[in-house]
Amino acid sequence: MDAKTPSPDGDLIARFAAIVGPDYALRDDAAIAPFLIEPRNKFHGATPLVLRPGTVEEVAAILRLANETGTAIVPQSGNTGVVGGQVPDGSGSQVVLSMARLNRIREVDAAGDTMTAEAGVILADAHAAADAADRLFPLSLASEGSCRIGGNLSTNAGGTGVLAYGNTRDLVLGVEVALASGEVWNGLRKLRKDNTGYDLRDLFIGAEGTLGVITAAVLRLVPKPRGKSVALVGLKDPAAALGLFAIARRHAGRSLTAFELMPRIAIETVVRYVAGARDPIVGPHPWYVLFEVSSLRSEADAEMTVEAIFGEGFSDDLVEDGVQARSLEQAKAFWLLRDALSEVQKHEGGSIKHDVAVPQASVPELIERAGRAVEKVVPGCRPFPFGHLGDGNIHYNVTQPVGMDKTAYLARWDDVAEAVHAIVSDLGGTVSAEHGIGQLKRGLLREVKSPLEIEMMQRLKTAFDPKGILNPGKVL
Amino acid sequence: MDAKTPSPDGDLIARFAAIVGPDYALRDDAAIAPFLIEPRNKFHGATPLVLRPGTVEEVAAILRLANETGTAIVPQSGNTGVVGGQVPDGSGSQVVLSMARLNRIREVDAAGDTMTAEAGVILADAHAAADAADRLFPLSLASEGSCRIGGNLSTNAGGTGVLAYGNTRDLVLGVEVALASGEVWNGLRKLRKDNTGYDLRDLFIGAEGTLGVITAAVLRLVPKPRGKSVALVGLKDPAAALGLFAIARRHAGRSLTAFELMPRIAIETVVRYVAGARDPIVGPHPWYVLFEVSSLRSEADAEMTVEAIFGEGFSDDLVEDGVQARSLEQAKAFWLLRDALSEVQKHEGGSIKHDVAVPQASVPELIERAGRAVEKVVPGCRPFPFGHLGDGNIHYNVTQPVGMDKTAYLARWDDVAEAVHAIVSDLGGTVSAEHGIGQLKRGLLREVKSPLEIEMMQRLKTAFDPKGILNPGKVL
């Protein structure tokens, strides 16, 4: 899949530009720059042209011309991805297709619990539209103020709502897709049940724009919770947290809207660096869990469930100590401990990060084995594993040893990652739980997938993008 | 996709038989007969050979030989499908591959809330294994005593649990698939989050064995409800039922485990023909809804939610009258009214059935328009639409006019179906909500899908079964 696509010449660029009109065909360096910079500043791409179509027909016409001329197209929506999936390579031959102007919410169907949104709709705007109809669109991401639906679907985004509401894939009923050929597949179904042939929808979700360009989607809406209750508990080890999770699921089912595991070092780091943060539990504990229960009835009802989980956790000797938030302010203070984690690590120096998931029952083993493994690679390094225990999705981050040179530490990234990923693979896990493959993990893909699975993926790529014009150099 | 596969000769049959051994290669007419008869006795097939492999390796070897020799293979598990997907055609050239002996539950992982089951596991046995681990596997089908996991997945089975727990697709984390080439793809992942490339899993779910043969799956388990409460209410029309559904979802969310719509004729028919059945609500009402709420806490808690729904339904003038079950016996009596519906219709003569779904908000319009349409086709016919309002999945059955000759009525099946399906398509609905395409609806598929969508499906078929050996004559 590495065959280079030719650079579009001036004549071809003019033909592309004519599709969207001069105002929406960007060629000026300053205008193009924002489309080339990605959040972690890791991939430095180049492009002769950014196209900003305003209609699905324009998207289709762009792809038709690209397919005819063998021009590489890089779809981009909110440009918040962290694996380089949305930025062109450095060749200067790839045209960026910005979906941001396709930002209409075509319909909110409250009676049907659906919303039809175009690829360029900002996630927060989708939230607001659902809220106005007294519904919730439960995809919840840190970047929700700028990420867009097209990217959310193309990366099958995860986030904090997965435990209760599923991944993005589970929140989509139908999609509209512009194919490599320039044909538009209208799969905008609102159906809960439909068994008429192959599942084309899920083919495009999570494919990072390499099989087609999602232009719109029918999203599921759910009822809004009327109350929440949050608790923070201290525990001996991750195994105790896993035991508490089983109790919480039994009591709350899908009303368990968060179950986040944190090591002692996490609490300490937040308390040290975040103004106003404090440890609400007496005495240090090796591990902590923040969990949240939502209720469609009331806050009191959610509190009752949290108390039941607490009670059983104590009587089963899983919980050493804990505290339930008794006000919105307290709840916010608990959440601050968790939400600040990604940010505060930098104060302790370099951090080597892994976006991994394992079967939830294997989380304690992952933490134990990976802890030993990384210590061997960089003695004195400080494992900082935290995250969504209920999804098996642990942000296995490793902070540098105290006093070590940051650059020297980060130079060991690949060695540390190799050690962690080997254990993750051994446990039947994944090296990209949330962020996708993009450019960053493309090499890794061949190490963790069987040749047969890679070959199956290639068959799909060939079937849907025979000329390889869609986001080449990504995923496969 | 209609290219005929050659009939296997004696030598080839011996090679197939050698893979499974003589006891599991059935050639005798009497032994073969049960594999050729399907539930509705509509498709009469022939086969020279039924193979009953006992291991995944044997399945793979069978497919390898079939692919090498161009022999058509018809996978079959519980043989309960009603669209002819699991039986061979009449040519006598297709070999039946029975998955029934692959019936091991490989693992129940209670801490991980998963079960790994082979394709031949009977659904009821999967239920029992989940129950033994204090979990629920929530796929619920009338045929659960004989249908098997492989068929459940291959048809993406629906059933009564969809409203709360989703279709079969939503209950599967990973699959193991024997491909047409005889290679085995191990996709038995237990992960809640995994964004490493294309969604191969969902390609095989619902593909009716035409893209690969599912040999095993990782299934999701959920917590067991501790209590349920059931209510039956009378309403003016389907629009009122839709209004009540919105209230019920808002109060119960995914704890709303049933919401079934029934017309007056349904209640009357059951009361007339089923011993012990009675109408528990005073006075006839044009429409009825049976709804059920489950609780992870207790029966009393479920009852409280039902009361809240009731109260709001009354005060919003949506509910004319209603009654909540106050004992298990009463609950059973309510459910009898619903469960007997498929059976009792035969007492009133011929019934023309449609397995349709529309966006849930369009159910009232479907019922209204289809009622007028079928009356035009066969004056005096009696619409008998009932089913899962919350999924938009209405069993749009039409009972013959009183006194009409049954055969003469059923001869109008295609005309009635055409009228109903036209309205369903117009409403963005599907002509096969639950049962799939198989042989029965293969012709219909081309009428309801766009040529582009058919072509996209064909690309997948060609990519995964280039020689067309997997269940030819089904789906596409």
Side-chain angles (χ1 to χ4, degrees), chain A residues 238 287 352-354 356-358 362-386 394-399 409 415-427:
Chain A
W287 291 86
I352 296 177
K353 298 171 193 286
H354 308 87
V356 300
V358 294
S362 300
V363 168
E365 189 177 343
L366 167 70
I367 289 174
E368 202 266 323
R369 286 175 60 184
R372 279 188 278 130
V374 298
E375 170 66 25
K376 269 191 205 155
V377 179
V378 183
C381 70
R382 293 167 290 166
F384 200 114
F386 68 96
I394 297 298
H395 300 290
Y396 197 88
N397 296 353
V398 189
T399 299
Y409 176 67
D415 300 328
V416 171
E418 196 179 323
V420 171
H421 288 159
I423 294 160
V424 167
S425 290
D426 189 49
L427 293 171

Side-chain angles (χ1 to χ4, degrees), chain B residues 26 59 79 85 113 156 226 282 288 392 403 430:
Chain B
L26 314 182
V59 175
N79 192 13
D113 287 320
N156 184 30
R226 304 289 159 191
V282 179
Y288 296 79
T430 176

